[in-house]
Amino acid sequence: MIKKIFVGLGMIILVGFGILIFKEFNYQKPIPDIIELPSGYRTDDSIPVAIEKQQEITPTDATTIANTRANKQSVSLLIDSVLGFAEIEYPNLYAFDYKEKSIKIFDLKNRTYKELYSNPDINFVSFSPRKNNIIFKKSVKGFSQFYLLNLIKDKIYPLEIFIKNISWINDTEFLYYFSNNSSVNYIGKAVISSSGLKNEKLVDIGTINPQFNFANNNLLISSEKQSPLFLISLKTKSRKIVFDEMPYISFLTDGNLIFVNYAKQSLSSAIIDGTGKILKKFDWGTFKEKCYLSNTTLGQTQIKLICGVPTGDQSAGSYLDWKELRSSTSDKLVIVDIKTFDIKEIKIEGDFDILNPRLTPIGIIFTNRLDSKLYLAPVE
């Protein structure tokens, strides 16, 4: 009888301990340091509408309305934490927390977060388009290597040790640059399957540390120094120049259109198609890290390009200086409607070196490289 009592008590203790473990691993922690959104903007999924458009202005409201209107040119701190490699799929924010050395998903609507993976040696993070996979790089004893974290299977796979850079094609495929620091340099493709990773060599290249991406089933590639933009056919391996303005080109693509930046006397930019046909040239330029090219809607307007654009003059060498942290910029926001090429400029108060801007229902969220914190710029 006594033996049965002890067995029963043991079972109760084990069940209780299991419940505690389950809660610990599934608990979504509150975000104590998230900043309140600007007044006059709703936090649901609808497009934000200013207060003065929702209610009639009365004499007692006059001061409040004037202050709200003035603050629309101001930028608000969104989360008071040092974050990097941020990606937005509102209301979710995916980012690397530098202080806690962990990859997290933040729910901006419910003001909670959940840790996805933590490691003190992480120094690079890249999220797949649908956020089911994460590639991170960590350094151990002075040697860096990429790893794939599959969130669906909850498994980590090491990438080949000589992979130097990656670029996502879709949620289950990515390009990579392989270099053994000798004579073997090529662009390859990796496919994520239920059994792990399958690698395929695509094309040999002579460019060291290239910029590369996937567009219209072809490979776009350029060097950061004195290089035109090349398109390589993955079927025939033939190469052609699609944009020859130089020097210091940087580019990004949504898989169809290509946004290129170049500098002669000062920065300029253009939108081209996959054949190299110039659709529109702009008398301003910026860096690819400051832009986002994708299909997003704001009201009835189709938005394809959002950029942080330096307000001061930038020389031909400014991109490499900026990329290597020898300089910074003070930016304004520029939104381009690709269909009409109408441009909307948002001048913001203060100095913001903008990275990775994203249009959301509550405004444009971006990272300020000067302090690695996320900010919100309202959009009318």
Side-chain angles (χ1 to χ4, degrees), residues 115-376:
E115 186 176 281
L116 300 176
Y117 179 74
S118 179
N119 188 288
D121 299 311
I122 292 176
N123 55 33
F124 170 87
V125 177
S126 179
F127 300 92
S128 66
R130 297 183 64 184
K131 314 302 183 293
N132 289 322
N133 294 286
I134 301 171
I135 290 177
F136 64 89
K137 183 169 65 174
K138 65 178 182 178
S139 298
V140 180
K141 296 181 180 179
F143 181 79
S144 293
Q145 185 172 358
F146 286 99
Y147 296 81
L148 171 74
L149 170 59
N150 186 316
L151 295 177
I152 295 177
K153 297 180 68 67
D154 195 24
K155 287 188 176 181
I156 295 177
Y157 304 93
L159 275 60
E160 292 190 31
I161 60 173
F162 291 115
I163 289 179
K164 307 295 185 183
N165 203 357
I166 64 100
S167 177
W168 289 100
I169 300 174
N170 52 48
D171 211 59
T172 58
E173 297 178 312
F174 61 90
L175 298 173
Y176 60 85
Y177 167 56
F178 180 99
S179 175
N180 65 357
N181 300 318
S182 181
S183 57
V184 181
N185 297 279
Y186 67 84
I187 300 295
K189 183 176 78 169
V191 178
I192 304 169
S193 66
S194 58
S195 59
L197 286 169
K198 180 180 179 182
N199 295 323
E200 176 189 359
K201 179 180 176 180
L202 295 179
V203 60
D204 289 305
I205 59 171
T207 304
I208 303 300
N209 296 323
Q211 301 179 68
F212 57 95
N213 216 317
F214 195 76
N216 297 311
N217 296 315
N218 295 303
L219 178 65
L220 289 168
I221 188 167
S222 75
S223 170
E224 292 179 345
K225 295 184 178 180
Q226 304 292 330
S227 171
L229 178 61
F230 290 93
L231 185 143
I232 302 176
S233 170
L234 297 180
K235 289 184 178 180
T236 65
K237 309 303 179 186
S238 62
R239 308 179 184 210
K240 70 175 184 177
I241 295 174
V242 293
F243 197 76
D244 60 1
E245 298 281 3
M246 296 186 290
Y248 301 111
I249 191 172
S250 72
F251 73 92
L252 71 158
T253 178
D254 65 352
N256 294 298
L257 299 178
I258 307 162
F259 178 61
V260 293
N261 291 275
Y262 56 97
K264 288 185 176 178
Q265 294 181 345
S266 60
L267 285 180
S268 300
S269 59
I271 294 175
I272 64 176
D273 64 16
T275 68
K277 179 182 177 182
I278 297 176
L279 304 179
K280 181 69 176 179
K281 278 192 172 185
F282 304 106
D283 59 3
W284 49 266
T286 185
F287 313 140
K288 64 179 182 178
E289 292 85 354
K290 293 178 173 292
C291 295
Y292 184 60
L293 181 62
S294 183
N295 288 308
T296 309
T297 55
L298 176 62
Q300 300 299 315
T301 306
Q302 188 72 19
I303 303 298
K304 293 280 279 190
L305 179 66
I306 306 169
C307 288
V309 177
T311 55
D313 292 334
Q314 300 293 314
S315 65
S318 60
Y319 178 53
L320 290 183
D321 288 341
W322 178 85
K323 191 171 182 180
E324 294 173 6
L325 304 178
R326 293 194 296 264
S327 67
S328 61
T329 63
S330 181
D331 300 336
K332 60 184 177 182
L333 285 163
V334 173
I335 305 174
V336 181
D337 184 327
I338 298 300
K339 184 176 181 180
T340 63
F341 293 114
D342 289 338
I343 297 176
K344 178 181 180 65
E345 291 189 3
I346 302 174
K347 295 181 179 180
I348 53 182
E349 297 176 358
D351 290 329
F352 292 92
D353 193 342
I354 292 174
L355 292 176
N356 201 26
R358 291 291 191 273
L359 184 67
T360 74
I362 59 173
I364 296 176
I365 297 174
F366 65 86
T367 300
N368 181 15
R369 198 175 74 148
L370 299 177
D371 61 8
S372 294
K373 294 182 180 181
L374 270 79
Y375 291 81
L376 174 70

